[in-house]
Amino acid sequence: MLKKILSTVALFEVALLAGAFAMTAQAADNEKAVRDAVESLGPGIKVDSVAPAPMAGFYQVVASGRMVYVSADGHYMLNGNLIDLQAKTDLSAASWAATRKAALAKVPASQRLIYAPDKPKHTVTVFTDVDCGFCRQLHAHIDEFNKKGIAVEYVFWPREGIKTTAGNDTPSYTKAVSVWCSADRKNAFNEAMKGATPKAATCSNPVKDDFELGERLGVNGTPTIVTENGDVVGGYVTPAQLLQALEAPAGTVGRGG
């Protein structure tokens, strides 16, 4: 009897393993179908992540700075925010926030321009461009941001992109690189944000990586302000408006994508 019971248990375990393997294989097939379907939409579309969506039968896909939902067979795509009606929660916004938070955590302080008080209460990452008028207005109040306990950490996002159609470096990219490679980086940035053209300089720099990161995270303009939680707060805001947003109750800050 004992041998029979042990044999039955062994067969049950084998069946479980076989079932788990089949589920894993099916999931891999589904993810490939979803990835292939999205990438077939056009040249240059790059899928950054594929994961099961909260909605049964669909996968959540982040590709080229957009978040979409694709059926497991790759036949259907939904473009828009996914809302949990019972919980009254924007699930897409929450996913975007988590994605931004994780990605920005990988950008070291050595690749940022940091303006911070001694003991910051809040820290934001700002995708900026030295030719952007609203970016200049925001930076004009940098001392006030710091006085309110807000550390501002800049990364570059040249609005013109990296290369022109002719294959040359864009003016905004060139200026960002020149600022970064300046002997006095902060002074060069401060002056550029007042309208001065930085002295041409080149060196190893993070500007291209910053720009590509912004594209993956859905940045489409400057300034884009991202909180420590990965939420987006505008656009240009005043120091008072930003502090109010940062101290708002959890789940009420920013937008998802």
Side-chain angles (χ1 to χ4, degrees):
M1 175 63 73
L2 181 58
K3 286 185 178 181
K4 187 175 180 179
I5 293 173
L6 291 175
S7 177
T8 301
V9 171
L11 289 172
F12 181 67
E13 290 176 345
V14 169
L16 286 177
L17 288 172
F21 179 79
M23 290 175 64
T24 301
Q26 183 61 56
D29 289 343
N30 289 345
E31 289 187 18
K32 184 178 186 306
V34 168
R35 185 179 294 273
D36 290 347
V38 173
E39 290 181 343
S40 72
L41 291 174
I45 293 179
K46 183 180 182 299
V47 173
D48 293 308
S49 67
V50 177
M55 179 171 51
F58 278 76
Y59 281 79
Q60 178 179 282
V61 182
V62 175
S64 299
R66 301 291 297 274
M67 182 177 287
V68 295
Y69 298 90
V70 182
S71 60
D73 58 8
H75 285 186
Y76 303 100
M77 183 177 79
L78 299 175
N79 181 20
N81 283 18
L82 183 62
I83 310 297
D84 184 328
L85 294 177
Q86 292 185 340
K88 295 180 175 57
T89 302
D90 187 333
L91 300 179
S92 299
S95 292
W96 260 128
T99 298
R100 294 190 195 98
K101 181 178 179 179
L104 289 172
K106 297 177 182 178
V107 180
S110 61
Q111 292 183 15
R112 301 168 181 251
L113 266 176
I114 298 175
Y115 291 78
D118 290 337
K119 296 180 180 179
K121 295 186 293 183
H122 305 284
T123 299
V124 296
T125 299
V126 179
F127 286 86
T128 192
D129 175 27
V130 296
D131 285 331
C132 159
F134 284 116
C135 298
R136 291 178 177 178
Q137 288 186 43
L138 186 145
H139 190 67
H141 299 288
I142 194 65
D143 289 341
E144 190 177 347
F145 281 111
N146 288 169
K147 286 177 182 177
K148 290 186 178 297
I150 303 170
V152 177
E153 301 190 352
Y154 288 113
V155 291
F156 286 103
W157 200 81
R159 294 175 303 163
E160 296 176 321
I162 304 301
K163 296 288 184 181
T164 67
T165 54
N168 302 314
D169 291 346
T170 65
S172 58
Y173 170 74
T174 299
K175 289 179 183 179
V177 170
S178 295
V179 166
W180 185 265
C181 297
S182 171
D184 187 337
R185 190 176 295 159
K186 274 193 172 181
N187 182 65
F189 183 75
N190 293 340
E191 292 303 310
M193 290 313 239
K194 296 175 184 176
T197 299
K199 182 180 178 181
T202 58
C203 65
S204 177
N205 66 83
V207 178
K208 183 174 182 292
D209 289 341
D210 289 349
F211 178 79
E212 291 175 348
L213 173 62
E215 287 204 310
R216 292 196 301 274
L217 297 182
V219 173
N220 55 19
T222 53
T224 292
I225 304 171
V226 186
T227 71
E228 289 174 302
N229 292 327
D231 292 311
V232 170
V233 188
Y236 169 76
V237 292
T238 66
Q241 288 171 331
L242 181 55
L243 182 63
Q244 182 180 16
L246 293 172
E247 296 187 344
T252 62
V253 174
R255 53 182 169 78

mmCIF file of all heavy atoms in Angstrom, residues 103-114 153-155 180 206 210:
data_model
loop_
_atom_site.group_PDB
_atom_site.id
_atom_site.type_symbol
_atom_site.label_atom_id
_atom_site.label_comp_id
_atom_site.label_asym_id
_atom_site.label_seq_id
_atom_site.Cartn_x
_atom_site.Cartn_y
_atom_site.Cartn_z
ATOM 1 N N ALA A 103 13.941 52.740 -13.797
ATOM 2 C CA ALA A 103 14.908 53.164 -14.816
ATOM 3 C C ALA A 103 15.778 54.306 -14.316
ATOM 4 O O ALA A 103 17.001 54.315 -14.518
ATOM 5 C CB ALA A 103 14.178 53.572 -16.090
ATOM 6 N N LEU A 104 15.174 55.287 -13.652
ATOM 7 C CA LEU A 104 15.938 56.441 -13.180
ATOM 8 C C LEU A 104 16.858 56.080 -12.022
ATOM 9 O O LEU A 104 17.883 56.730 -11.817
ATOM 10 C CB LEU A 104 14.987 57.570 -12.774
ATOM 11 C CG LEU A 104 14.269 58.254 -13.943
ATOM 12 C CD1 LEU A 104 13.214 59.217 -13.434
ATOM 13 C CD2 LEU A 104 15.260 58.970 -14.846
ATOM 14 N N ALA A 105 16.506 55.040 -11.276
ATOM 15 C CA ALA A 105 17.367 54.599 -10.181
ATOM 16 C C ALA A 105 18.709 54.100 -10.692
ATOM 17 O O ALA A 105 19.692 54.048 -9.939
ATOM 18 C CB ALA A 105 16.671 53.496 -9.383
ATOM 19 N N LYS A 106 18.768 53.763 -11.972
ATOM 20 C CA LYS A 106 20.005 53.259 -12.571
ATOM 21 C C LYS A 106 20.902 54.377 -13.088
ATOM 22 O O LYS A 106 22.030 54.123 -13.521
ATOM 23 C CB LYS A 106 19.673 52.292 -13.716
ATOM 24 C CG LYS A 106 18.923 51.047 -13.264
ATOM 25 C CD LYS A 106 18.557 50.161 -14.452
ATOM 26 C CE LYS A 106 17.758 48.949 -14.015
ATOM 27 N NZ LYS A 106 17.350 48.100 -15.175
ATOM 28 N N VAL A 107 20.405 55.617 -13.074
ATOM 29 C CA VAL A 107 21.202 56.757 -13.537
ATOM 30 C C VAL A 107 21.978 57.302 -12.340
ATOM 31 O O VAL A 107 21.382 57.881 -11.424
ATOM 32 C CB VAL A 107 20.324 57.865 -14.134
ATOM 33 C CG1 VAL A 107 21.187 59.035 -14.615
ATOM 34 C CG2 VAL A 107 19.485 57.312 -15.285
ATOM 35 N N PRO A 108 23.292 57.137 -12.308
ATOM 36 C CA PRO A 108 24.056 57.560 -11.124
ATOM 37 C C PRO A 108 24.146 59.078 -11.004
ATOM 38 O O PRO A 108 23.947 59.817 -11.975
ATOM 39 C CB PRO A 108 25.434 56.951 -11.380
ATOM 40 C CG PRO A 108 25.533 56.841 -12.870
ATOM 41 C CD PRO A 108 24.146 56.531 -13.355
ATOM 42 N N ALA A 109 24.443 59.522 -9.786
ATOM 43 C CA ALA A 109 24.593 60.960 -9.538
ATOM 44 C C ALA A 109 25.671 61.568 -10.429
ATOM 45 O O ALA A 109 25.583 62.739 -10.808
ATOM 46 C CB ALA A 109 24.921 61.196 -8.063
ATOM 47 N N SER A 110 26.660 60.760 -10.791
ATOM 48 C CA SER A 110 27.763 61.261 -11.628
ATOM 49 C C SER A 110 27.308 61.603 -13.041
ATOM 50 O O SER A 110 28.035 62.243 -13.792
ATOM 51 C CB SER A 110 28.881 60.224 -11.692
ATOM 52 O OG SER A 110 28.412 59.009 -12.261
ATOM 53 N N GLN A 111 26.094 61.188 -13.412
ATOM 54 C CA GLN A 111 25.568 61.485 -14.745
ATOM 55 C C GLN A 111 24.403 62.476 -14.682
ATOM 56 O O GLN A 111 23.602 62.564 -15.605
ATOM 57 C CB GLN A 111 25.138 60.190 -15.437
ATOM 58 C CG GLN A 111 26.309 59.279 -15.777
ATOM 59 C CD GLN A 111 25.893 58.033 -16.527
ATOM 60 O OE1 GLN A 111 24.775 57.939 -17.049
ATOM 61 N NE2 GLN A 111 26.779 57.062 -16.604
ATOM 62 N N ARG A 112 24.333 63.228 -13.602
ATOM 63 C CA ARG A 112 23.282 64.233 -13.425
ATOM 64 C C ARG A 112 23.903 65.581 -13.053
ATOM 65 O O ARG A 112 25.007 65.625 -12.523
ATOM 66 C CB ARG A 112 22.321 63.818 -12.302
ATOM 67 C CG ARG A 112 21.620 62.474 -12.506
ATOM 68 C CD ARG A 112 20.931 62.032 -11.228
ATOM 69 N NE ARG A 112 20.262 60.749 -11.353
ATOM 70 C CZ ARG A 112 18.942 60.586 -11.379
ATOM 71 N NH1 ARG A 112 18.150 61.638 -11.285
ATOM 72 N NH2 ARG A 112 18.409 59.387 -11.490
ATOM 73 N N LEU A 113 23.177 66.640 -13.335
ATOM 74 C CA LEU A 113 23.538 67.967 -12.828
ATOM 75 C C LEU A 113 22.640 68.218 -11.621
ATOM 76 O O LEU A 113 21.429 68.353 -11.766
ATOM 77 C CB LEU A 113 23.298 69.039 -13.891
ATOM 78 C CG LEU A 113 24.479 69.430 -14.770
ATOM 79 C CD1 LEU A 113 24.016 70.426 -15.823
ATOM 80 C CD2 LEU A 113 25.590 70.050 -13.929
ATOM 81 N N ILE A 114 23.232 68.274 -10.446
ATOM 82 C CA ILE A 114 22.442 68.280 -9.217
ATOM 83 C C ILE A 114 22.491 69.642 -8.520
ATOM 84 O O ILE A 114 23.569 70.178 -8.241
ATOM 85 C CB ILE A 114 22.935 67.176 -8.264
ATOM 86 C CG1 ILE A 114 22.754 65.797 -8.926
ATOM 87 C CG2 ILE A 114 22.188 67.239 -6.942
ATOM 88 C CD1 ILE A 114 23.321 64.646 -8.118
ATOM 89 N N GLU A 153 17.518 67.387 -9.929
ATOM 90 C CA GLU A 153 18.591 66.656 -10.602
ATOM 91 C C GLU A 153 18.274 66.614 -12.093
ATOM 92 O O GLU A 153 17.312 65.984 -12.523
ATOM 93 C CB GLU A 153 18.717 65.246 -10.017
ATOM 94 C CG GLU A 153 19.009 65.265 -8.514
ATOM 95 C CD GLU A 153 19.374 63.908 -7.957
ATOM 96 O OE1 GLU A 153 19.265 62.903 -8.702
ATOM 97 O OE2 GLU A 153 19.790 63.852 -6.775
ATOM 98 N N TYR A 154 19.102 67.315 -12.871
ATOM 99 C CA TYR A 154 18.863 67.433 -14.301
ATOM 100 C C TYR A 154 19.518 66.301 -15.091
ATOM 101 O O TYR A 154 20.642 65.881 -14.792
ATOM 102 C CB TYR A 154 19.453 68.747 -14.828
ATOM 103 C CG TYR A 154 18.706 69.996 -14.432
ATOM 104 C CD1 TYR A 154 19.287 70.928 -13.569
ATOM 105 C CD2 TYR A 154 17.440 70.279 -14.937
ATOM 106 C CE1 TYR A 154 18.634 72.098 -13.214
ATOM 107 C CE2 TYR A 154 16.770 71.450 -14.594
ATOM 108 C CZ TYR A 154 17.372 72.354 -13.737
ATOM 109 O OH TYR A 154 16.713 73.516 -13.391
ATOM 110 N N VAL A 155 18.793 65.830 -16.098
ATOM 111 C CA VAL A 155 19.374 65.003 -17.158
ATOM 112 C C VAL A 155 18.983 65.668 -18.473
ATOM 113 O O VAL A 155 17.952 66.346 -18.559
ATOM 114 C CB VAL A 155 18.875 63.538 -17.104
ATOM 115 C CG1 VAL A 155 19.410 62.825 -15.886
ATOM 116 C CG2 VAL A 155 17.353 63.470 -17.127
ATOM 117 N N TRP A 180 28.106 69.901 -20.612
ATOM 118 C CA TRP A 180 28.585 68.789 -19.794
ATOM 119 C C TRP A 180 30.110 68.733 -19.770
ATOM 120 O O TRP A 180 30.715 68.410 -18.742
ATOM 121 C CB TRP A 180 28.022 67.471 -20.312
ATOM 122 C CG TRP A 180 28.392 66.313 -19.418
ATOM 123 C CD1 TRP A 180 29.450 65.461 -19.563
ATOM 124 C CD2 TRP A 180 27.730 65.925 -18.213
ATOM 125 N NE1 TRP A 180 29.483 64.553 -18.528
ATOM 126 C CE2 TRP A 180 28.449 64.821 -17.683
ATOM 127 C CE3 TRP A 180 26.607 66.399 -17.532
ATOM 128 C CZ2 TRP A 180 28.059 64.192 -16.498
ATOM 129 C CZ3 TRP A 180 26.225 65.771 -16.360
ATOM 130 C CH2 TRP A 180 26.959 64.670 -15.851
ATOM 131 N N PRO A 206 26.972 61.706 -20.979
ATOM 132 C CA PRO A 206 25.770 60.872 -20.924
ATOM 133 C C PRO A 206 24.591 61.391 -21.742
ATOM 134 O O PRO A 206 23.483 60.861 -21.629
ATOM 135 C CB PRO A 206 25.430 60.907 -19.431
ATOM 136 C CG PRO A 206 25.807 62.303 -19.030
ATOM 137 C CD PRO A 206 27.029 62.648 -19.851
ATOM 138 N N ASP A 210 20.944 59.781 -21.947
ATOM 139 C CA ASP A 210 19.826 60.470 -21.294
ATOM 140 C C ASP A 210 18.651 60.620 -22.258
ATOM 141 O O ASP A 210 17.494 60.380 -21.900
ATOM 142 C CB ASP A 210 20.241 61.868 -20.821
ATOM 143 C CG ASP A 210 21.195 61.838 -19.638
ATOM 144 O OD1 ASP A 210 21.372 60.757 -19.042
ATOM 145 O OD2 ASP A 210 21.769 62.893 -19.324
#
